[in-house]
Amino acid sequence: MASQVVSSSTTRHGLLAYGVRRIRPDTLPLFQRDFDAWIESRQRDLNVAFAFPDAADANLLHILFWTKGKDAGVLAELKSDALAKSDDVSDGLFHVFGSDSSAASEPARRSAVLRHTHHITSLAGYMRPGPSEWAGKSPPMIGVFRRAILPGKSEALAKSFKSVCDIWCATVPGILAAMVAPDPKDDNYVYDIRIFADKASYDGHVDKTNADLVRAMDVWFSHYDTSIPHRGAMFGTAEDTSDPAMHSSSVKDRPIKVDFNIFHYGKGGCMGRCCLD
């Protein structure tokens, strides 16, 4: 009998990677062809793989991967002659979340697309294996956000977020991932990672009828510096991300400033697919 996959509020299955990569002018169709062919060859190793042109620069692609396993080498196999040559260290810099150990302080060179990677060990949180019950549905809602925290509050943030994750993991199966990870360059910032199977799961993460959750979230949220806008990217369907709640605080009496990109599956030049099965 096959062993059951163990999942808890502290286990992390797979890797989530997000970054930007520049392509040469007029080569988007070539990149899409190569991207689709790579996904087809590696769909057994992927939960999602998407790429979107930047709204202000069609030659700059925002690329998102969620793998089933821990082998980042799968991502290194993606190659294309459409990729531009650049000395800009931010071009092809990907942050990889879910790793079991931290990389060196300087990003490692990886591949043609992922030119440099920061593998970041989470301070707290979990990532479920891509469950079969979500197969055939819309791609999951995914958020990767860089947020400011109050000075010296990293440890307190991690401890309080674990309490929140304990509740989320036990009560909302559609929260597929919830992690907070340190910024490798600035102790006063963290990355917040969320993967929701659907809009109902997103709504469940702020269940106001759960008094324990409300209290735990209030303590956790108190460690952020909400005077500084949080940045990053949100991926989802146009219907899911139209909710005004997506652009405000989960804790209503703690207003926040937001300044992040929103990408809609199937729109805005979307390339890629969901491989949950």
Side-chain angles (χ1 to χ4, degrees), residues 46-100:
L46 299 168
N47 287 321
V48 301
F50 286 101
F52 292 83
D54 187 89
D57 184 348
N59 296 320
L60 185 65
L61 303 181
H62 295 256
I63 306 177
L64 177 77
F65 308 104
W66 178 22
T67 66
K68 290 182 169 73
K70 296 288 190 181
D71 182 11
V74 170
L75 307 179
E77 296 178 6
L78 174 56
K79 299 177 175 65
S80 176
D81 289 338
L83 299 171
K85 294 181 179 180
S86 172
D87 295 327
D88 183 354
V89 296
S90 66
D91 181 16
L93 173 60
F94 281 72
H95 290 82
V96 183
F97 305 97
S99 299
D100 294 323

Side-chain angles (χ1 to χ4, degrees), residues 141 172 174-175 196-205 240:
M141 300 167 59
V172 190
I175 300 180
F196 300 102
D198 51 24
K199 181 60 164 55
S201 302
Y202 172 84
D203 293 340
H205 98 285
D240 288 344

Side-chain angles (χ1 to χ4, degrees), residues 164-202:
V164 173
C165 286
D166 288 343
I167 299 172
W168 281 347
C169 188
T171 62
V172 190
I175 300 180
L176 304 182
M179 296 182 290
V180 61
D183 185 305
K185 294 296 187 181
D186 193 330
D187 291 340
N188 291 326
Y189 282 85
V190 295
Y191 284 91
D192 273 355
I193 310 302
R194 303 288 182 272
I195 305 179
F196 300 102
D198 51 24
K199 181 60 164 55
S201 302
Y202 172 84

Side-chain angles (χ1 to χ4, degrees), residues 11-59:
T11 57
R12 292 175 282 277
H13 302 271
L15 300 170
L16 186 78
Y18 168 67
V20 295
R21 187 68 171 93
R22 187 165 291 281
I23 59 174
R24 295 183 291 110
D26 302 318
T27 61
L28 188 60
L30 173 60
F31 177 83
Q32 182 165 5
R33 184 199 69 186
D34 295 336
F35 192 51
D36 289 342
W38 170 76
I39 294 172
E40 184 64 28
S41 70
R42 276 298 188 176
Q43 61 178 324
R44 67 184 182 279
D45 301 304
L46 299 168
N47 287 321
V48 301
F50 286 101
F52 292 83
D54 187 89
D57 184 348
N59 296 320

Side-chain angles (χ1 to χ4, degrees), residues 189-222:
Y189 282 85
V190 295
Y191 284 91
D192 273 355
I193 310 302
R194 303 288 182 272
I195 305 179
F196 300 102
D198 51 24
K199 181 60 164 55
S201 302
Y202 172 84
D203 293 340
H205 98 285
V206 287
D207 180 6
K208 301 302 184 183
T209 67
N210 187 328
D212 291 337
L213 177 60
V214 171
R215 284 192 295 269
M217 290 187 70
D218 195 58
V219 174
W220 157 54
F221 207 80
S222 69

